[in-house]
Each structure stands twice: as structure tokens, then as C-alpha cells.
Amino acid sequence: MRGEFFKGVHQWELQTMDGKFAGKLPVFYYDNTSMTAVYTASTAKVKKYLPHPDMHPAEIFPGRCLVGFSAFEYRRTDIGPYNEFSISIIIIFGRKGIPALSILPQIMRRHFNVYIWHLPVTTEIARTAGVEFYGYPKFIAEIAFKREKDCLECRLSEKGSHILTLRGKHLDAKPGKIMRFKTYSVKNGIPICANIDTNPIEFVESWRRNSATIEIGSNHSISHELNGIELSKQPILYQYSPVNELILFGARNLRDNQ
């Protein structure tokens, strides 16, 4: 039943230090669409973008790690509707993991540890809350969804400069299991983390390499970064959720990550 997912989760009233934003934590997202494509990339190239020595790229095999591209259309949330695009690096925090063996538990348990590399959004309230409360690297961008007969397209750009376009196929979806993402970020030089729980009311996962495509731009600084990490030509994993619910829990210091 819709809404049952949020029962038993207490929310606190919060506001930013400058008083410009007031809201609730955890943040509830009541009606969303999302799609994710996971690509392999050069571990050596990606590692330089991780800001903390305990953050290690999770390798699928030696020399190749995983980078996720996720498009979100949030239609009803505690902070209003907005769109978001996440570029993340799947990581192992602490000791360096063993290729394949370290990432398989995350895939099997549907519990992913990710460093948030870039996180553009479409509203100022979403940007301010993400930066103030989570240290997320958020900025205002144009994130436009286009629904075609066979696929969902999301075009990401900033001030007219094309960053990337992600396209994923419309596949038959059914109710999925709860998924958790532990996001890592850095605020004032201190690594912090936050949990995201997702209830995929409609969900499908595909390992077919033709399920999604990504087109990287050529002029934006983020495009230059992505073009330099030797992304695979096709994704190794695609996830599509036409309808889902989501809870973004409050951030905490890693010393409290027990």
C-alpha cells in the first residue's frame, strides 16, 4: 500500500544556519521515477577524484571500477518537486577490497556504498539543503526528461552546455525489494555518510548491455572528467523504476557509523 513505507520513521524540524531553509529530516520522497546505468571505468583514473584516503573504488575486476549514472524525477517530496542527476563512484570504505568479491555483496544485498561525485539539481531549495546538511556537491543545472515510445531520456546541461544524456529502455516492471544506498561525501574536510532507502513500487533490473546508452558532451568540465576515465562503451547494469518511494536520512560523521 502506498505510504506504508514511511510509517514508523520520525521526522525532525530543521533549518539551515542562515535561516533561509526550514524543513524536515529525514526527507520523504512520495512519488518518483528513476533510472540508473552502471559503467566500468579505469580504477587509476577514477581514484584521483576520491577525496579521502579510506575511499577505495570497488573493482569488478583488477583495474576496472564502477561508476553509476542516475536520473531522478521527484514529483512529490517534502521540499517540493525537482529533478536530480547523480554521478557516483561505488566504493569500499576502509580497507581496499578484493576485485569482484568486494562488490558482489553490495549487489546481492542491494545495499550500495557510493561516493557522490556530482549531484546537480533543478531547484535552489534542493541545492541548499544538500550542501548545508550533507556536503553534497550540488549545483543548479538543467535536467530534462523526455519520454519516448521505447525509452526514457534524461538530458543534463548547465547554462546551455551539454554535460551528458542518459537513455534507458522502458522494460516491464514489477514490485521490487527495498534497496539501500549509503552515500559518502565530504563537508569541511570531514567525511560523512547518509542512508537512502528506496521502495521500488515498480522496478526492473537488466544486465543486457543494450538496455541503456550514455552520450557524454565535449565542452563542460564534468564532460572532460568523464571522457578521461575510460568509461566502458556499454553499461554492465541497468535499473529502471517508473514509480518508487524514497527516504533520505540525515547525514552523520563516520565516527558514528556503527
Side-chain angles (χ1 to χ4, degrees), residues 92-134:
I92 307 295
F93 192 87
R95 295 182 179 179
K96 185 177 181 181
I98 301 172
L101 293 180
S102 298
I103 188 60
L104 284 177
Q106 295 192 42
I107 295 173
M108 297 299 293
R109 293 187 296 117
R110 296 180 180 273
H111 188 161
F112 297 93
N113 299 324
V114 298
Y115 167 68
I116 303 299
W117 186 5
H118 297 291
L119 196 61
V121 293
T122 55
T123 66
E124 181 58 33
I125 189 172
R127 188 202 69 80
T128 299
V131 172
E132 289 283 341
F133 295 140
Y134 298 90

Side-chain angles (χ1 to χ4, degrees), residues 122-185:
T122 55
T123 66
E124 181 58 33
I125 189 172
R127 188 202 69 80
T128 299
V131 172
E132 289 283 341
F133 295 140
Y134 298 90
Y136 287 148
K138 288 194 171 187
F139 61 94
I140 299 296
E142 299 88 46
I143 305 171
F145 284 88
K146 181 179 179 183
R147 288 171 169 79
E148 300 180 342
K149 181 180 179 181
D150 298 323
C151 74
L152 177 64
E153 175 185 293
C154 182
R155 179 182 173 87
L156 170 64
S157 58
E158 183 186 21
K159 298 177 181 178
S161 179
H162 178 231
I163 299 174
L164 61 85
T165 298
L166 177 65
R167 297 181 182 89
K169 287 187 176 181
H170 290 305
L171 303 176
D172 293 334
K174 60 183 180 180
K177 296 180 180 180
I178 301 297
M179 301 175 65
R180 169 168 285 189
F181 298 86
K182 181 179 288 185
T183 68
Y184 290 81
S185 55

Side-chain angles (χ1 to χ4, degrees), residues 34-108:
S34 63
M35 65 172 169
T36 295
V38 179
Y39 286 75
T40 70
S42 164
T43 301
K45 302 284 187 180
V46 167
K47 189 175 178 61
K48 67 181 182 180
Y49 292 108
L50 294 175
H52 193 275
D54 282 336
M55 295 181 183
H56 305 284
E59 292 186 311
I60 191 68
F61 51 85
R64 299 295 292 180
C65 63
L66 300 174
V67 176
F69 299 87
S70 301
F72 301 95
E73 183 181 47
Y74 300 128
R75 289 180 290 271
R76 188 165 70 90
T77 84
D78 285 336
I79 57 173
Y82 68 99
N83 294 341
E84 181 175 71
F85 199 100
S86 168
I87 303 175
S88 62
I89 301 168
I90 301 179
I91 66 169
I92 307 295
F93 192 87
R95 295 182 179 179
K96 185 177 181 181
I98 301 172
L101 293 180
S102 298
I103 188 60
L104 284 177
Q106 295 192 42
I107 295 173
M108 297 299 293

Side-chain angles (χ1 to χ4, degrees), residues 210-229:
N210 64 350
S211 296
T213 61
I214 194 167
E215 174 190 346
I216 308 295
S218 58
N219 296 321
H220 197 277
S221 60
I222 294 177
S223 302
H224 292 319
E225 292 175 351
L226 296 175
N227 284 321
I229 61 173

